[in-house]
Amino acid sequence: FKNAISADVDQIVNAVKFMSQHHTGGLIVFPKTFDESLIEKKGVAIDAKISSELLLTIFFNKTPLHDGAVIIERGRIAYAGAILPLSQNNLNWKYGTRHRAALGMSELSSASVLVVSEESGDISVAEKGKFTKYDDIKKLRVKIEKILAK
């Protein structure tokens, strides 16, 4: 179980690091319990093993699913292209739709939502309506391990 989580964390961190360096936007939802009513559109069912290549392919900006969120459930990429509820809070102008979706999902559910900014390459995790920015990949790795272990 721990090795599987560690392998999944490696795949997610590798993809997120690449996306950050190349300013590729990304949105990954880690639901603790899945309340499907919160998601406006689940997107496309994928049900695939977590791999950095698949995550990078999904978020590549020339593909139809890149604008939506990926939902990771039970150690698998369950859905891609999901449309999340947007936060109604007045966010700083620098936050776009992807960040509003991450925050909105975290306000309405117990999910942790990882977001990579297309503009700045910044990596953040939204939980309980608040963002935590991760400049240090090692700290991000620890955070994702904690999220997946729950």
Side-chain angles (χ1 to χ4, degrees):
F1 178 68
K2 194 140 178 79
N3 287 349
I5 287 177
S6 184
D8 289 345
V9 172
D10 287 344
Q11 295 298 314
I12 294 165
V13 168
N14 289 341
V16 167
K17 195 162 85 176
F18 182 92
M19 290 161 61
S20 172
Q21 290 165 343
H22 294 88
H23 291 252
T24 300
L27 189 57
I28 304 174
V29 180
F30 302 94
K32 286 183 184 56
T33 54
F34 197 61
D35 181 356
E36 296 191 7
S37 68
L38 292 176
I39 293 178
E40 294 177 24
K41 189 172 139 241
K42 279 198 299 200
V44 177
I46 304 281
D47 189 28
K49 188 174 183 310
I50 296 170
S51 76
S52 51
E53 294 86 356
L54 181 54
L55 288 169
L56 290 171
T57 300
I58 290 168
F59 289 117
F60 179 67
N61 73 2
K62 303 279 188 270
T63 66
L65 298 175
H66 83 276
D67 269 338
V70 159
I71 298 170
I72 294 188
E73 286 184 284
R74 294 183 281 289
R76 304 208 29 104
I77 296 174
Y79 297 94
I83 306 300
L84 306 180
L86 300 182
S87 175
Q88 298 306 310
N89 285 330
N90 286 329
L91 291 177
N92 186 311
W93 59 268
K94 71 179 181 175
Y95 291 117
T97 306
R98 194 173 278 120
H99 284 83
R100 290 177 194 284
L103 203 60
M105 189 70 192
S106 80
E107 289 165 350
L108 297 173
S109 74
S110 59
S112 299
V113 187
L114 187 151
V115 61
V116 181
S117 170
E118 201 171 320
E119 287 74 27
S120 65
D122 288 350
I123 303 166
S124 305
V125 175
E127 290 178 311
K128 297 182 177 90
K130 293 200 179 351
F131 281 118
T132 304
K133 193 170 151 199
Y134 288 87
D135 295 322
D136 181 335
I137 288 295
K138 286 192 184 96
K139 287 182 180 163
L140 177 66
R141 164 180 283 293
V142 169
K143 179 63 180 173
I144 294 172
E145 278 174 359
K146 282 182 184 161
I147 291 169
L148 292 180
K150 287 180 182 166

PDB file of all heavy atoms in Angstrom, residues 66-105:
ATOM      1  N   HIS A  66      -7.911  19.564 -21.450  1.00  0.00           N
ATOM      2  CA  HIS A  66      -6.908  20.286 -20.662  1.00  0.00           C
ATOM      3  C   HIS A  66      -7.477  21.365 -19.743  1.00  0.00           C
ATOM      4  O   HIS A  66      -6.862  21.704 -18.742  1.00  0.00           O
ATOM      5  CB  HIS A  66      -5.821  20.887 -21.571  1.00  0.00           C
ATOM      6  CG  HIS A  66      -6.200  22.198 -22.189  1.00  0.00           C
ATOM      7  ND1 HIS A  66      -6.941  22.271 -23.343  1.00  0.00           N
ATOM      8  CD2 HIS A  66      -5.949  23.473 -21.799  1.00  0.00           C
ATOM      9  CE1 HIS A  66      -7.125  23.548 -23.647  1.00  0.00           C
ATOM     10  NE2 HIS A  66      -6.531  24.291 -22.732  1.00  0.00           N
ATOM     11  N   ASP A  67      -8.626  21.927 -20.071  1.00  0.00           N
ATOM     12  CA  ASP A  67      -9.180  23.009 -19.254  1.00  0.00           C
ATOM     13  C   ASP A  67      -9.876  22.538 -17.989  1.00  0.00           C
ATOM     14  O   ASP A  67     -10.046  23.302 -17.059  1.00  0.00           O
ATOM     15  CB  ASP A  67     -10.164  23.863 -20.069  1.00  0.00           C
ATOM     16  CG  ASP A  67      -9.466  25.019 -20.746  1.00  0.00           C
ATOM     17  OD1 ASP A  67      -8.383  25.409 -20.283  1.00  0.00           O
ATOM     18  OD2 ASP A  67     -10.012  25.533 -21.735  1.00  0.00           O
ATOM     19  N   GLY A  68     -10.290  21.294 -17.964  1.00  0.00           N
ATOM     20  CA  GLY A  68     -11.023  20.796 -16.794  1.00  0.00           C
ATOM     21  C   GLY A  68     -10.082  20.228 -15.746  1.00  0.00           C
ATOM     22  O   GLY A  68      -8.864  20.314 -15.854  1.00  0.00           O
ATOM     23  N   ALA A  69     -10.697  19.632 -14.737  1.00  0.00           N
ATOM     24  CA  ALA A  69      -9.932  19.038 -13.641  1.00  0.00           C
ATOM     25  C   ALA A  69      -9.799  17.536 -13.837  1.00  0.00           C
ATOM     26  O   ALA A  69     -10.655  16.896 -14.446  1.00  0.00           O
ATOM     27  CB  ALA A  69     -10.631  19.307 -12.310  1.00  0.00           C
ATOM     28  N   VAL A  70      -8.721  16.992 -13.290  1.00  0.00           N
ATOM     29  CA  VAL A  70      -8.552  15.550 -13.176  1.00  0.00           C
ATOM     30  C   VAL A  70      -9.002  15.183 -11.763  1.00  0.00           C
ATOM     31  O   VAL A  70      -8.678  15.877 -10.807  1.00  0.00           O
ATOM     32  CB  VAL A  70      -7.066  15.150 -13.402  1.00  0.00           C
ATOM     33  CG1 VAL A  70      -6.762  13.787 -12.812  1.00  0.00           C
ATOM     34  CG2 VAL A  70      -6.733  15.181 -14.877  1.00  0.00           C
ATOM     35  N   ILE A  71      -9.758  14.121 -11.655  1.00  0.00           N
ATOM     36  CA  ILE A  71     -10.197  13.647 -10.339  1.00  0.00           C
ATOM     37  C   ILE A  71      -9.494  12.321 -10.070  1.00  0.00           C
ATOM     38  O   ILE A  71      -9.593  11.383 -10.866  1.00  0.00           O
ATOM     39  CB  ILE A  71     -11.727  13.474 -10.290  1.00  0.00           C
ATOM     40  CG1 ILE A  71     -12.395  14.829 -10.530  1.00  0.00           C
ATOM     41  CG2 ILE A  71     -12.151  12.883  -8.944  1.00  0.00           C
ATOM     42  CD1 ILE A  71     -13.882  14.774 -10.739  1.00  0.00           C
ATOM     43  N   ILE A  72      -8.759  12.292  -8.958  1.00  0.00           N
ATOM     44  CA  ILE A  72      -8.044  11.075  -8.581  1.00  0.00           C
ATOM     45  C   ILE A  72      -8.796  10.417  -7.433  1.00  0.00           C
ATOM     46  O   ILE A  72      -9.014  11.035  -6.391  1.00  0.00           O
ATOM     47  CB  ILE A  72      -6.584  11.384  -8.200  1.00  0.00           C
ATOM     48  CG1 ILE A  72      -5.850  11.871  -9.457  1.00  0.00           C
ATOM     49  CG2 ILE A  72      -5.916  10.162  -7.565  1.00  0.00           C
ATOM     50  CD1 ILE A  72      -4.376  12.036  -9.342  1.00  0.00           C
ATOM     51  N   GLU A  73      -9.239   9.195  -7.671  1.00  0.00           N
ATOM     52  CA  GLU A  73      -9.960   8.415  -6.661  1.00  0.00           C
ATOM     53  C   GLU A  73      -9.331   7.047  -6.516  1.00  0.00           C
ATOM     54  O   GLU A  73      -8.988   6.426  -7.521  1.00  0.00           O
ATOM     55  CB  GLU A  73     -11.403   8.167  -7.121  1.00  0.00           C
ATOM     56  CG  GLU A  73     -12.333   9.333  -7.056  1.00  0.00           C
ATOM     57  CD  GLU A  73     -13.728   8.878  -7.456  1.00  0.00           C
ATOM     58  OE1 GLU A  73     -13.971   8.673  -8.661  1.00  0.00           O
ATOM     59  OE2 GLU A  73     -14.548   8.717  -6.569  1.00  0.00           O
ATOM     60  N   ARG A  74      -9.195   6.589  -5.290  1.00  0.00           N
ATOM     61  CA  ARG A  74      -8.691   5.241  -5.011  1.00  0.00           C
ATOM     62  C   ARG A  74      -7.430   4.900  -5.822  1.00  0.00           C
ATOM     63  O   ARG A  74      -7.333   3.829  -6.419  1.00  0.00           O
ATOM     64  CB  ARG A  74      -9.785   4.194  -5.250  1.00  0.00           C
ATOM     65  CG  ARG A  74     -10.946   4.307  -4.260  1.00  0.00           C
ATOM     66  CD  ARG A  74     -11.988   3.235  -4.438  1.00  0.00           C
ATOM     67  NE  ARG A  74     -12.917   3.446  -5.531  1.00  0.00           N
ATOM     68  CZ  ARG A  74     -13.872   4.374  -5.559  1.00  0.00           C
ATOM     69  NH1 ARG A  74     -14.020   5.198  -4.546  1.00  0.00           N
ATOM     70  NH2 ARG A  74     -14.673   4.489  -6.595  1.00  0.00           N
ATOM     71  N   GLY A  75      -6.508   5.845  -5.860  1.00  0.00           N
ATOM     72  CA  GLY A  75      -5.233   5.594  -6.522  1.00  0.00           C
ATOM     73  C   GLY A  75      -5.297   5.493  -8.041  1.00  0.00           C
ATOM     74  O   GLY A  75      -4.409   4.932  -8.664  1.00  0.00           O
ATOM     75  N   ARG A  76      -6.370   6.053  -8.645  1.00  0.00           N
ATOM     76  CA  ARG A  76      -6.519   6.002 -10.101  1.00  0.00           C
ATOM     77  C   ARG A  76      -6.969   7.366 -10.616  1.00  0.00           C
ATOM     78  O   ARG A  76      -7.591   8.123  -9.899  1.00  0.00           O
ATOM     79  CB  ARG A  76      -7.552   4.944 -10.501  1.00  0.00           C
ATOM     80  CG  ARG A  76      -7.165   3.608  -9.924  1.00  0.00           C
ATOM     81  CD  ARG A  76      -7.554   2.360 -10.589  1.00  0.00           C
ATOM     82  NE  ARG A  76      -7.763   2.237 -11.993  1.00  0.00           N
ATOM     83  CZ  ARG A  76      -6.905   1.665 -12.842  1.00  0.00           C
ATOM     84  NH1 ARG A  76      -5.738   1.246 -12.428  1.00  0.00           N
ATOM     85  NH2 ARG A  76      -7.214   1.507 -14.105  1.00  0.00           N
ATOM     86  N   ILE A  77      -6.633   7.641 -11.875  1.00  0.00           N
ATOM     87  CA  ILE A  77      -7.183   8.829 -12.522  1.00  0.00           C
ATOM     88  C   ILE A  77      -8.590   8.424 -12.939  1.00  0.00           C
ATOM     89  O   ILE A  77      -8.775   7.633 -13.863  1.00  0.00           O
ATOM     90  CB  ILE A  77      -6.327   9.247 -13.743  1.00  0.00           C
ATOM     91  CG1 ILE A  77      -4.926   9.653 -13.287  1.00  0.00           C
ATOM     92  CG2 ILE A  77      -7.017  10.394 -14.498  1.00  0.00           C
ATOM     93  CD1 ILE A  77      -3.959   9.944 -14.426  1.00  0.00           C
ATOM     94  N   ALA A  78      -9.578   8.919 -12.196  1.00  0.00           N
ATOM     95  CA  ALA A  78     -10.964   8.501 -12.412  1.00  0.00           C
ATOM     96  C   ALA A  78     -11.602   9.269 -13.571  1.00  0.00           C
ATOM     97  O   ALA A  78     -12.252   8.681 -14.427  1.00  0.00           O
ATOM     98  CB  ALA A  78     -11.770   8.687 -11.134  1.00  0.00           C
ATOM     99  N   TYR A  79     -11.427  10.602 -13.570  1.00  0.00           N
ATOM    100  CA  TYR A  79     -12.048  11.461 -14.589  1.00  0.00           C
ATOM    101  C   TYR A  79     -11.075  12.531 -15.031  1.00  0.00           C
ATOM    102  O   TYR A  79     -10.193  12.930 -14.290  1.00  0.00           O
ATOM    103  CB  TYR A  79     -13.297  12.173 -14.022  1.00  0.00           C
ATOM    104  CG  TYR A  79     -14.393  11.239 -13.613  1.00  0.00           C
ATOM    105  CD1 TYR A  79     -14.495  10.813 -12.302  1.00  0.00           C
ATOM    106  CD2 TYR A  79     -15.333  10.776 -14.536  1.00  0.00           C
ATOM    107  CE1 TYR A  79     -15.509   9.931 -11.915  1.00  0.00           C
ATOM    108  CE2 TYR A  79     -16.338   9.916 -14.163  1.00  0.00           C
ATOM    109  CZ  TYR A  79     -16.416   9.489 -12.849  1.00  0.00           C
ATOM    110  OH  TYR A  79     -17.414   8.623 -12.484  1.00  0.00           O
ATOM    111  N   ALA A  80     -11.298  13.033 -16.242  1.00  0.00           N
ATOM    112  CA  ALA A  80     -10.546  14.185 -16.756  1.00  0.00           C
ATOM    113  C   ALA A  80     -11.542  15.125 -17.416  1.00  0.00           C
ATOM    114  O   ALA A  80     -12.581  14.694 -17.912  1.00  0.00           O
ATOM    115  CB  ALA A  80      -9.494  13.736 -17.756  1.00  0.00           C
ATOM    116  N   GLY A  81     -11.227  16.413 -17.393  1.00  0.00           N
ATOM    117  CA  GLY A  81     -12.114  17.400 -18.008  1.00  0.00           C
ATOM    118  C   GLY A  81     -13.307  17.757 -17.137  1.00  0.00           C
ATOM    119  O   GLY A  81     -14.309  18.268 -17.629  1.00  0.00           O
ATOM    120  N   ALA A  82     -13.198  17.514 -15.832  1.00  0.00           N
ATOM    121  CA  ALA A  82     -14.304  17.815 -14.918  1.00  0.00           C
ATOM    122  C   ALA A  82     -14.452  19.328 -14.734  1.00  0.00           C
ATOM    123  O   ALA A  82     -13.461  20.056 -14.686  1.00  0.00           O
ATOM    124  CB  ALA A  82     -14.078  17.148 -13.563  1.00  0.00           C
ATOM    125  N   ILE A  83     -15.686  19.772 -14.650  1.00  0.00           N
ATOM    126  CA  ILE A  83     -15.979  21.185 -14.406  1.00  0.00           C
ATOM    127  C   ILE A  83     -16.358  21.326 -12.926  1.00  0.00           C
ATOM    128  O   ILE A  83     -17.292  20.691 -12.459  1.00  0.00           O
ATOM    129  CB  ILE A  83     -17.156  21.673 -15.299  1.00  0.00           C
ATOM    130  CG1 ILE A  83     -16.880  21.372 -16.771  1.00  0.00           C
ATOM    131  CG2 ILE A  83     -17.437  23.153 -15.061  1.00  0.00           C
ATOM    132  CD1 ILE A  83     -15.646  22.010 -17.354  1.00  0.00           C
ATOM    133  N   LEU A  84     -15.601  22.161 -12.228  1.00  0.00           N
ATOM    134  CA  LEU A  84     -15.793  22.332 -10.787  1.00  0.00           C
ATOM    135  C   LEU A  84     -16.576  23.602 -10.491  1.00  0.00           C
ATOM    136  O   LEU A  84     -16.579  24.540 -11.293  1.00  0.00           O
ATOM    137  CB  LEU A  84     -14.425  22.409 -10.092  1.00  0.00           C
ATOM    138  CG  LEU A  84     -13.444  21.263 -10.357  1.00  0.00           C
ATOM    139  CD1 LEU A  84     -12.144  21.505  -9.599  1.00  0.00           C
ATOM    140  CD2 LEU A  84     -14.048  19.936  -9.960  1.00  0.00           C
ATOM    141  N   PRO A  85     -17.194  23.661  -9.309  1.00  0.00           N
ATOM    142  CA  PRO A  85     -17.891  24.889  -8.915  1.00  0.00           C
ATOM    143  C   PRO A  85     -16.875  26.003  -8.644  1.00  0.00           C
ATOM    144  O   PRO A  85     -15.820  25.744  -8.058  1.00  0.00           O
ATOM    145  CB  PRO A  85     -18.616  24.487  -7.620  1.00  0.00           C
ATOM    146  CG  PRO A  85     -17.831  23.331  -7.085  1.00  0.00           C
ATOM    147  CD  PRO A  85     -17.248  22.623  -8.280  1.00  0.00           C
ATOM    148  N   LEU A  86     -17.166  27.201  -9.092  1.00  0.00           N
ATOM    149  CA  LEU A  86     -16.241  28.325  -8.886  1.00  0.00           C
ATOM    150  C   LEU A  86     -16.486  28.987  -7.548  1.00  0.00           C
ATOM    151  O   LEU A  86     -17.629  29.106  -7.102  1.00  0.00           O
ATOM    152  CB  LEU A  86     -16.405  29.362 -10.005  1.00  0.00           C
ATOM    153  CG  LEU A  86     -16.141  28.883 -11.427  1.00  0.00           C
ATOM    154  CD1 LEU A  86     -16.299  30.043 -12.404  1.00  0.00           C
ATOM    155  CD2 LEU A  86     -14.768  28.259 -11.558  1.00  0.00           C
ATOM    156  N   SER A  87     -15.416  29.448  -6.929  1.00  0.00           N
ATOM    157  CA  SER A  87     -15.531  30.184  -5.675  1.00  0.00           C
ATOM    158  C   SER A  87     -16.258  31.500  -5.935  1.00  0.00           C
ATOM    159  O   SER A  87     -16.041  32.152  -6.952  1.00  0.00           O
ATOM    160  CB  SER A  87     -14.139  30.483  -5.112  1.00  0.00           C
ATOM    161  OG  SER A  87     -14.253  31.297  -3.963  1.00  0.00           O
ATOM    162  N   GLN A  88     -17.112  31.878  -5.004  1.00  0.00           N
ATOM    163  CA  GLN A  88     -17.811  33.155  -5.108  1.00  0.00           C
ATOM    164  C   GLN A  88     -17.061  34.263  -4.377  1.00  0.00           C
ATOM    165  O   GLN A  88     -17.481  35.406  -4.376  1.00  0.00           O
ATOM    166  CB  GLN A  88     -19.237  33.020  -4.543  1.00  0.00           C
ATOM    167  CG  GLN A  88     -20.094  32.009  -5.298  1.00  0.00           C
ATOM    168  CD  GLN A  88     -20.157  32.276  -6.791  1.00  0.00           C
ATOM    169  OE1 GLN A  88     -20.421  33.376  -7.234  1.00  0.00           O
ATOM    170  NE2 GLN A  88     -19.877  31.238  -7.593  1.00  0.00           N
ATOM    171  N   ASN A  89     -15.953  33.917  -3.729  1.00  0.00           N
ATOM    172  CA  ASN A  89     -15.157  34.914  -3.007  1.00  0.00           C
ATOM    173  C   ASN A  89     -14.489  35.868  -3.988  1.00  0.00           C
ATOM    174  O   ASN A  89     -14.155  35.489  -5.103  1.00  0.00           O
ATOM    175  CB  ASN A  89     -14.072  34.243  -2.158  1.00  0.00           C
ATOM    176  CG  ASN A  89     -14.655  33.596  -0.925  1.00  0.00           C
ATOM    177  OD1 ASN A  89     -15.659  34.052  -0.406  1.00  0.00           O
ATOM    178  ND2 ASN A  89     -14.035  32.525  -0.477  1.00  0.00           N
ATOM    179  N   ASN A  90     -14.269  37.087  -3.544  1.00  0.00           N
ATOM    180  CA  ASN A  90     -13.551  38.058  -4.372  1.00  0.00           C
ATOM    181  C   ASN A  90     -12.067  37.760  -4.254  1.00  0.00           C
ATOM    182  O   ASN A  90     -11.429  38.138  -3.291  1.00  0.00           O
ATOM    183  CB  ASN A  90     -13.835  39.491  -3.886  1.00  0.00           C
ATOM    184  CG  ASN A  90     -15.225  39.934  -4.267  1.00  0.00           C
ATOM    185  OD1 ASN A  90     -15.739  39.503  -5.293  1.00  0.00           O
ATOM    186  ND2 ASN A  90     -15.828  40.768  -3.448  1.00  0.00           N
ATOM    187  N   LEU A  91     -11.551  37.067  -5.242  1.00  0.00           N
ATOM    188  CA  LEU A  91     -10.132  36.725  -5.234  1.00  0.00           C
ATOM    189  C   LEU A  91      -9.325  37.828  -5.893  1.00  0.00           C
ATOM    190  O   LEU A  91      -9.839  38.593  -6.695  1.00  0.00           O
ATOM    191  CB  LEU A  91      -9.908  35.425  -6.017  1.00  0.00           C
ATOM    192  CG  LEU A  91     -10.435  34.145  -5.403  1.00  0.00           C
ATOM    193  CD1 LEU A  91     -10.189  32.980  -6.340  1.00  0.00           C
ATOM    194  CD2 LEU A  91      -9.765  33.882  -4.076  1.00  0.00           C
ATOM    195  N   ASN A  92      -8.062  37.864  -5.555  1.00  0.00           N
ATOM    196  CA  ASN A  92      -7.113  38.766  -6.190  1.00  0.00           C
ATOM    197  C   ASN A  92      -7.210  38.604  -7.713  1.00  0.00           C
ATOM    198  O   ASN A  92      -7.413  37.500  -8.216  1.00  0.00           O
ATOM    199  CB  ASN A  92      -5.724  38.357  -5.679  1.00  0.00           C
ATOM    200  CG  ASN A  92      -4.637  39.280  -6.127  1.00  0.00           C
ATOM    201  OD1 ASN A  92      -4.535  39.613  -7.306  1.00  0.00           O
ATOM    202  ND2 ASN A  92      -3.822  39.705  -5.193  1.00  0.00           N
ATOM    203  N   TRP A  93      -7.037  39.684  -8.433  1.00  0.00           N
ATOM    204  CA  TRP A  93      -7.151  39.674  -9.901  1.00  0.00           C
ATOM    205  C   TRP A  93      -6.218  38.676 -10.561  1.00  0.00           C
ATOM    206  O   TRP A  93      -6.472  38.210 -11.652  1.00  0.00           O
ATOM    207  CB  TRP A  93      -6.890  41.064 -10.470  1.00  0.00           C
ATOM    208  CG  TRP A  93      -5.521  41.566 -10.113  1.00  0.00           C
ATOM    209  CD1 TRP A  93      -5.190  42.319  -9.020  1.00  0.00           C
ATOM    210  CD2 TRP A  93      -4.291  41.317 -10.808  1.00  0.00           C
ATOM    211  NE1 TRP A  93      -3.836  42.548  -8.994  1.00  0.00           N
ATOM    212  CE2 TRP A  93      -3.258  41.953 -10.080  1.00  0.00           C
ATOM    213  CE3 TRP A  93      -3.960  40.627 -11.966  1.00  0.00           C
ATOM    214  CZ2 TRP A  93      -1.924  41.913 -10.466  1.00  0.00           C
ATOM    215  CZ3 TRP A  93      -2.620  40.586 -12.353  1.00  0.00           C
ATOM    216  CH2 TRP A  93      -1.627  41.215 -11.608  1.00  0.00           C
ATOM    217  N   LYS A  94      -5.105  38.339  -9.889  1.00  0.00           N
ATOM    218  CA  LYS A  94      -4.134  37.434 -10.534  1.00  0.00           C
ATOM    219  C   LYS A  94      -4.629  35.994 -10.616  1.00  0.00           C
ATOM    220  O   LYS A  94      -4.044  35.182 -11.309  1.00  0.00           O
ATOM    221  CB  LYS A  94      -2.781  37.505  -9.830  1.00  0.00           C
ATOM    222  CG  LYS A  94      -2.757  36.881  -8.452  1.00  0.00           C
ATOM    223  CD  LYS A  94      -1.381  36.962  -7.841  1.00  0.00           C
ATOM    224  CE  LYS A  94      -1.401  36.311  -6.467  1.00  0.00           C
ATOM    225  NZ  LYS A  94      -0.129  36.230  -5.844  1.00  0.00           N
ATOM    226  N   TYR A  95      -5.700  35.682  -9.898  1.00  0.00           N
ATOM    227  CA  TYR A  95      -6.238  34.314  -9.943  1.00  0.00           C
ATOM    228  C   TYR A  95      -7.266  34.177 -11.046  1.00  0.00           C
ATOM    229  O   TYR A  95      -8.222  34.937 -11.113  1.00  0.00           O
ATOM    230  CB  TYR A  95      -6.882  33.941  -8.603  1.00  0.00           C
ATOM    231  CG  TYR A  95      -5.891  33.786  -7.485  1.00  0.00           C
ATOM    232  CD1 TYR A  95      -5.934  34.619  -6.379  1.00  0.00           C
ATOM    233  CD2 TYR A  95      -4.908  32.803  -7.529  1.00  0.00           C
ATOM    234  CE1 TYR A  95      -5.022  34.473  -5.337  1.00  0.00           C
ATOM    235  CE2 TYR A  95      -3.990  32.654  -6.503  1.00  0.00           C
ATOM    236  CZ  TYR A  95      -4.062  33.491  -5.413  1.00  0.00           C
ATOM    237  OH  TYR A  95      -3.156  33.342  -4.402  1.00  0.00           O
ATOM    238  N   GLY A  96      -7.064  33.168 -11.886  1.00  0.00           N
ATOM    239  CA  GLY A  96      -7.998  32.933 -12.985  1.00  0.00           C
ATOM    240  C   GLY A  96      -9.010  31.855 -12.633  1.00  0.00           C
ATOM    241  O   GLY A  96      -9.163  31.455 -11.480  1.00  0.00           O
ATOM    242  N   THR A  97      -9.688  31.370 -13.655  1.00  0.00           N
ATOM    243  CA  THR A  97     -10.759  30.387 -13.484  1.00  0.00           C
ATOM    244  C   THR A  97     -10.264  29.104 -12.825  1.00  0.00           C
ATOM    245  O   THR A  97     -10.950  28.530 -11.985  1.00  0.00           O
ATOM    246  CB  THR A  97     -11.399  30.063 -14.856  1.00  0.00           C
ATOM    247  OG1 THR A  97     -11.809  31.294 -15.443  1.00  0.00           O
ATOM    248  CG2 THR A  97     -12.591  29.149 -14.713  1.00  0.00           C
ATOM    249  N   ARG A  98      -9.086  28.651 -13.198  1.00  0.00           N
ATOM    250  CA  ARG A  98      -8.550  27.410 -12.618  1.00  0.00           C
ATOM    251  C   ARG A  98      -8.421  27.533 -11.102  1.00  0.00           C
ATOM    252  O   ARG A  98      -8.799  26.637 -10.359  1.00  0.00           O
ATOM    253  CB  ARG A  98      -7.196  27.120 -13.275  1.00  0.00           C
ATOM    254  CG  ARG A  98      -6.688  25.733 -13.027  1.00  0.00           C
ATOM    255  CD  ARG A  98      -5.431  25.456 -13.858  1.00  0.00           C
ATOM    256  NE  ARG A  98      -5.797  25.075 -15.211  1.00  0.00           N
ATOM    257  CZ  ARG A  98      -5.427  25.725 -16.301  1.00  0.00           C
ATOM    258  NH1 ARG A  98      -4.662  26.787 -16.222  1.00  0.00           N
ATOM    259  NH2 ARG A  98      -5.805  25.312 -17.488  1.00  0.00           N
ATOM    260  N   HIS A  99      -7.902  28.675 -10.629  1.00  0.00           N
ATOM    261  CA  HIS A  99      -7.756  28.891  -9.187  1.00  0.00           C
ATOM    262  C   HIS A  99      -9.121  29.044  -8.513  1.00  0.00           C
ATOM    263  O   HIS A  99      -9.328  28.560  -7.407  1.00  0.00           O
ATOM    264  CB  HIS A  99      -6.883  30.127  -8.910  1.00  0.00           C
ATOM    265  CG  HIS A  99      -5.431  29.866  -9.124  1.00  0.00           C
ATOM    266  ND1 HIS A  99      -4.850  29.926 -10.372  1.00  0.00           N
ATOM    267  CD2 HIS A  99      -4.448  29.522  -8.262  1.00  0.00           C
ATOM    268  CE1 HIS A  99      -3.559  29.649 -10.255  1.00  0.00           C
ATOM    269  NE2 HIS A  99      -3.290  29.395  -8.990  1.00  0.00           N
ATOM    270  N   ARG A 100     -10.044  29.721  -9.186  1.00  0.00           N
ATOM    271  CA  ARG A 100     -11.394  29.875  -8.627  1.00  0.00           C
ATOM    272  C   ARG A 100     -12.092  28.529  -8.485  1.00  0.00           C
ATOM    273  O   ARG A 100     -12.821  28.282  -7.529  1.00  0.00           O
ATOM    274  CB  ARG A 100     -12.232  30.809  -9.491  1.00  0.00           C
ATOM    275  CG  ARG A 100     -11.775  32.249  -9.426  1.00  0.00           C
ATOM    276  CD  ARG A 100     -12.576  33.174 -10.341  1.00  0.00           C
ATOM    277  NE  ARG A 100     -11.900  34.436 -10.473  1.00  0.00           N
ATOM    278  CZ  ARG A 100     -11.877  35.384  -9.534  1.00  0.00           C
ATOM    279  NH1 ARG A 100     -12.521  35.211  -8.410  1.00  0.00           N
ATOM    280  NH2 ARG A 100     -11.215  36.496  -9.731  1.00  0.00           N
ATOM    281  N   ALA A 101     -11.836  27.633  -9.445  1.00  0.00           N
ATOM    282  CA  ALA A 101     -12.408  26.283  -9.395  1.00  0.00           C
ATOM    283  C   ALA A 101     -11.780  25.477  -8.246  1.00  0.00           C
ATOM    284  O   ALA A 101     -12.490  24.789  -7.513  1.00  0.00           O
ATOM    285  CB  ALA A 101     -12.195  25.575 -10.727  1.00  0.00           C
ATOM    286  N   ALA A 102     -10.472  25.579  -8.095  1.00  0.00           N
ATOM    287  CA  ALA A 102      -9.790  24.860  -7.010  1.00  0.00           C
ATOM    288  C   ALA A 102     -10.320  25.313  -5.665  1.00  0.00           C
ATOM    289  O   ALA A 102     -10.653  24.508  -4.794  1.00  0.00           O
ATOM    290  CB  ALA A 102      -8.276  25.089  -7.098  1.00  0.00           C
ATOM    291  N   LEU A 103     -10.416  26.632  -5.499  1.00  0.00           N
ATOM    292  CA  LEU A 103     -10.902  27.189  -4.243  1.00  0.00           C
ATOM    293  C   LEU A 103     -12.368  26.814  -4.009  1.00  0.00           C
ATOM    294  O   LEU A 103     -12.743  26.405  -2.914  1.00  0.00           O
ATOM    295  CB  LEU A 103     -10.735  28.715  -4.249  1.00  0.00           C
ATOM    296  CG  LEU A 103     -10.665  29.376  -2.886  1.00  0.00           C
ATOM    297  CD1 LEU A 103      -9.479  28.837  -2.093  1.00  0.00           C
ATOM    298  CD2 LEU A 103     -10.557  30.879  -3.034  1.00  0.00           C
ATOM    299  N   GLY A 104     -13.178  26.927  -5.060  1.00  0.00           N
ATOM    300  CA  GLY A 104     -14.601  26.601  -4.945  1.00  0.00           C
ATOM    301  C   GLY A 104     -14.817  25.170  -4.497  1.00  0.00           C
ATOM    302  O   GLY A 104     -15.620  24.884  -3.602  1.00  0.00           O
ATOM    303  N   MET A 105     -14.088  24.245  -5.095  1.00  0.00           N
ATOM    304  CA  MET A 105     -14.216  22.830  -4.720  1.00  0.00           C
ATOM    305  C   MET A 105     -13.793  22.616  -3.274  1.00  0.00           C
ATOM    306  O   MET A 105     -14.418  21.851  -2.543  1.00  0.00           O
ATOM    307  CB  MET A 105     -13.369  21.984  -5.676  1.00  0.00           C
ATOM    308  CG  MET A 105     -13.587  20.507  -5.536  1.00  0.00           C
ATOM    309  SD  MET A 105     -15.220  20.059  -6.133  1.00  0.00           S
ATOM    310  CE  MET A 105     -15.326  18.394  -5.513  1.00  0.00           C
TER     311      MET A 105
END
